[in-house]
Amino acid sequence: MRYRPLGRTGISVSEIGFGCGSQGGLMVRGEGPDQLKAVARAIELGINYFDTAPSYGDGRSETNLGAALRELKADVHVGTKIELTDADFSDLSGAVVRSVEGSLQRLGRDYVDLIQLHPRIGEQRRPGSRVLSVDDVLDDVVGAFEGLKSEGKVHHYGITGLGETSAVLRVIDAGTIETAQTVFNLLNPSAGRPVPSAFYAQDFGQLISHAANHGVGVIVIRVLAAGALSGGEAHPLAGRGGPPMGTSSEFSEDVAKAERFRFLVDEGLVGDPVEGALRFALASDDVSTVLVGFSDLDQIDPAVACAEKGPLPPQAVDRLPSVWDTFVSGEE
């Protein structure tokens, strides 16, 4: 396993991170013994970053992850997130503190290495849609994070880079946050490189380079586009086919687009679709870690093996823009 700096935090994280959400499903819907074995194997292979959130299984992910880590007496880095309700908009600072306190209780920990804002960010506050304004983030949320940091309950803080691209980039460019999660995959590479002006999905405005300019660690999410880039049948525990994020409006459309990368496997450039997706995301030196949501123990070794192969070969990378050029609005 190789490790990369998580921005300016001083933490080094494994290139593959363990996603504990509903997409993989193991830490939400799996059995305790299976979760313990998977976490133990991940640590054995060198995975040292585990990502969870209060919304994953209504707290079950945090509870299950905490139990496994305590059983293993594991020394790893744990990140979780802030969830907000409509009512929380009247007291954002207090809501941040309450969310962290709840997470610490479920995890059974005195602190988390990383706390991240989960709700979307916009130019204007929209409580009914749970969208925070840039000022909300930089004032109330960051202020609460700083208070929690001074108390030792969180060590570092960041955001999930979803919402309006201009607003998200403004938060990053303010230079305050330490990490940013971003969608970055073969179906939507816009967080890492330019895309056509008529691109079919949200343009994330090369968020990764903005982050690098400010020493902000980048955590890649949705590397498999909720399973569209996985190929094959979904695991029974997986949340495959859930609402797309940063891609098409329908999962079936993402699956159809994913077929256009089939040449990577057919021509022997990668062993399978998952390898292609992971090696693409890890090709960016400014990416700190790529989260993979696991459904069972058997998926962990192959994911780590993919990372060990390094970036996609140049002959594969050179052909990707011709595919992205076909991803335009109004395509049939």
Side-chain angles (χ1 to χ4, degrees):
M1 177 65 71
R2 287 183 290 264
Y3 298 85
R4 301 184 180 191
L6 184 61
R8 62 178 188 274
T9 64
I11 294 175
S12 291
V13 289
S14 48
E15 289 185 325
I16 298 295
F18 195 123
C20 301
S22 294
Q23 288 302 316
L26 175 61
M27 300 307 293
V28 173
R29 294 179 287 274
E31 298 295 328
D34 296 331
Q35 294 167 348
L36 184 64
K37 291 176 184 177
V39 171
R41 181 56 179 164
I43 295 171
E44 183 180 9
L45 290 173
I47 292 176
N48 74 346
Y49 180 69
F50 291 77
D51 174 88
T52 184
S55 62
Y56 300 161
D58 289 330
R60 289 192 299 277
S61 172
E62 289 181 322
T63 299
N64 295 335
L65 175 62
L69 294 178
R70 290 194 303 276
E71 176 72 17
L72 296 168
K73 297 180 173 59
D75 181 17
V76 296
H77 302 301
V78 175
T80 191
K81 305 177 186 76
I82 296 298
E83 303 292 351
L84 299 174
T85 66
D86 292 351
D88 289 331
F89 278 72
S90 62
D91 179 21
L92 288 176
S93 296
V96 167
V97 172
R98 290 189 293 272
S99 183
V100 170
E101 295 285 3
S103 291
L104 292 177
Q105 184 175 32
R106 287 184 292 273
L107 285 163
R109 296 172 65 92
D110 295 326
Y111 70 90
V112 288
D113 300 274
L114 177 63
I115 190 68
Q116 300 154 102
L117 179 69
H118 214 182
R120 285 165 166 73
I121 303 169
E123 295 293 349
Q124 301 294 327
R125 173 194 283 204
R126 300 197 302 278
S129 301
R130 299 183 190 177
V131 173
L132 295 173
S133 71
V134 173
D135 289 341
D136 286 333
V137 178
L138 296 179
D139 295 338
D140 295 329
V141 175
V142 168
F145 283 164
E146 282 289 342
L148 290 162
K149 192 172 181 179
S150 68
E151 295 174 8
K153 294 179 179 179
V154 305
H155 288 177
H156 305 282
Y157 57 83
I159 63 169
T160 299
L162 295 174
E164 298 170 25
T165 297
S166 60
V168 171
L169 296 183
R170 282 179 60 198
V171 170
I172 292 173
D173 290 342
T176 304
I177 63 167
E178 298 172 277
T179 66
Q181 290 193 332
T182 187
V183 173
F184 182 51
N185 57 45
L186 284 169
L187 295 183
N188 189 343
S190 65
R193 58 179 299 145
V195 292
S197 58
F199 195 60
Y200 80 107
Q202 180 174 355
D203 184 346
F204 289 107
Q206 299 182 73
L207 179 154
I208 293 172
S209 63
H210 281 261
N213 289 339
H214 296 282
V216 173
V218 173
I219 300 169
V220 170
I221 59 176
R222 292 296 179 110
V223 68
L224 298 176
L229 288 163
S230 300
E233 296 295 323
H235 189 281
L237 290 182
R240 187 169 177 178
M245 184 182 293
T247 50
S248 303
S249 59
E250 298 292 337
F251 181 72
S252 59
E253 296 174 12
D254 281 350
V255 172
K257 286 183 174 67
E259 281 297 307
R260 302 184 198 183
F261 299 101
R262 188 70 199 180
F263 73 89
L264 294 171
V265 177
D266 292 344
E267 298 180 19
L269 298 170
V270 298
D272 58 47
V274 171
E275 178 186 327
L278 293 182
R279 292 177 67 188
F280 164 73
L282 286 169
S284 172
D285 292 336
D286 293 325
V287 165
S288 298
T289 186
V290 174
L291 297 183
V292 179
F294 299 111
S295 301
D296 64 29
L297 175 67
D298 294 337
Q299 295 176 347
I300 301 175
D301 282 69
V304 172
C306 289
E308 291 173 346
K309 293 181 180 180
L312 288 177
Q315 59 266 45
V317 175
D318 290 346
R319 292 175 59 182
L320 295 178
S322 65
V323 179
W324 294 324
D325 285 344
T326 69
F327 289 176
V328 296
S329 300
E331 67 171 335
E332 294 297 330

